[in-house]
Amino acid sequence: MTKMRIEGSFVALITPFNADGSVDFGGFRTLIDWQAKNGTSAVLIMGSTGEVSMLTPEERREIVEKTAKMKTGNMKMFYGCTGTSTAATIAYLKHAKAAGADGAILAAPAYICAPEDDIEAFFAECADAVELPIGIYNNPPRVKSDLHWDHLLRLMKHPNIVVLKESTTRVGQVAQVCAAQPDATIMCCDSPNLGLVVPTMSLGGHGTANMTGNIDPAGMALLSTPWADPAQSVVFRETYLRLLPLLHFTYSAINPVAVKSLMQAVGLPAGDLRRPLSGLKPDHLARGLAIVRTLGLDARYGWKTAPGLPMAAE
């Protein structure tokens, strides 16, 4: 079986909520259509940016069932299917496949801080259990478990494992993975604090698995284009330096606080964060709105700010 290949911008989508706190499925449709129209190659629904840990199991299943029917064009629809255990994760994977998901992203189960060998076995067992394209999210800042490149390269030989998203700070690990040229897509988190975007793309990575695409999907699609020729490296450099203030802003609070607050302020369907998270303070949000104006995103996307949240003064 030929593996699915995804290149470009893989956006970790927020979960929009209605005023009463319920999931806003109309908002989901708007966001999915907007991403597809602006060059996004794939979206991850119910990742950490989607506040997945604060969704009920019933909400998680309903989100998969309803949004999988919203697929538009060639953009792939992946779902966060990590559960609290191997068995719970496999159950989510089987449900996602039955509902029509294009694939799933898995991280190590949170809180247990399992050793590397156990987490490698977790990913392998999940990939064996369901005939569904799976991405590995190596995310020690969130889950503490951290896989060495030896573990990752073994896993990437599995026919159902098609994507690696790396979120360590080890450039050397990215280099080792790229040098091995595994039969899988190599992507990295877009956080400028991790510093992985430049080395990943320059060493032959295939794109970014990013949060900032929630606010500038077209810009992140340009930034995430693989370097097929030398000219793309110049486009990348210019785009990265231009977007650097926005990248820093979207990671200026635990995700998705900054990006979701900014989306709400410009009129995108986002809704409030689920408690105990809360939105940005006005002065913090004003800095993000100033970046939106400086980059011309308000004009590009036709945004108007939400009532009571005027654009910051220039």
Side-chain angles (χ1 to χ4, degrees), residues 266-283:
V266 300
L268 287 169
D272 293 329
L273 293 131
R274 281 212 164 158
R275 293 192 299 272
L277 294 178
S278 60
L280 295 180
K281 302 298 183 186
D283 59 337

Side-chain angles (χ1 to χ4, degrees), residues 18-63:
N18 293 305
D20 64 0
S22 61
V23 176
D24 178 4
F25 287 103
F28 256 130
R29 182 176 293 279
T30 297
L31 295 176
I32 289 167
D33 289 346
W34 185 57
Q35 291 292 330
K37 290 175 183 176
N38 281 283
T40 298
S41 298
V43 292
L44 167 60
I45 293 172
M46 298 190 301
S48 54
T49 302
E51 299 174 81
V52 65
S53 63
M54 291 185 283
L55 297 171
T56 67
E58 294 76 20
E59 285 175 322
R60 290 180 64 165
R61 289 190 288 268
E62 185 182 23
I63 287 171

Side-chain angles (χ1 to χ4, degrees), residues 90-239:
I90 290 172
Y92 281 130
L93 287 169
K94 289 181 176 179
H95 176 264
K97 177 179 173 59
D102 290 315
I105 298 291
L106 301 181
Y111 197 73
I112 61 175
C113 304
E116 290 183 8
D117 287 346
D118 289 351
I119 294 304
E120 180 181 354
F122 160 78
F123 284 124
E125 185 174 349
C126 290
D128 285 340
V130 186
E131 193 70 24
L132 185 70
I134 288 173
I136 295 173
Y137 188 7
N138 191 37
N139 188 15
R142 281 279 192 172
V143 300
K144 301 305 178 186
S145 298
D146 187 1
L147 294 185
H148 185 271
W149 65 76
D150 287 339
H151 295 271
L152 295 172
L153 290 172
R154 282 194 294 269
L155 287 166
M156 292 163 82
K157 293 177 183 178
H158 195 289
N160 290 337
I161 293 178
V162 302
V163 177
L164 167 66
K165 178 182 178 180
E166 186 63 69
S167 288
T168 69
T169 57
R170 300 192 303 277
V171 173
Q173 169 134 323
V174 172
Q176 292 286 354
V177 172
C178 288
Q181 297 184 326
D183 182 16
T185 295
I186 302 168
M187 293 185 162
C188 67
C189 176
D190 61 325
S191 168
N193 303 313
L194 295 178
L196 292 181
V197 175
V198 175
T200 299
M201 299 306 295
S202 66
L203 291 170
H206 304 103
T208 69
N210 64 80
M211 177 172 64
T212 308
N214 279 285
I215 200 75
D216 186 13
M220 289 307 297
L222 187 61
L223 181 73
S224 305
T225 302
W227 296 15
D229 56 64
Q232 181 57 35
S233 67
V234 177
V235 173
F236 171 87
R237 181 182 64 211
E238 293 173 349
T239 305

Side-chain angles (χ1 to χ4, degrees), residues 71-86:
K71 183 174 178 177
T72 178
N74 295 321
M75 188 178 75
K76 301 298 184 185
M77 305 276 282
F78 274 59
Y79 294 86
C81 288
T82 307
T84 54
S85 65
T86 302

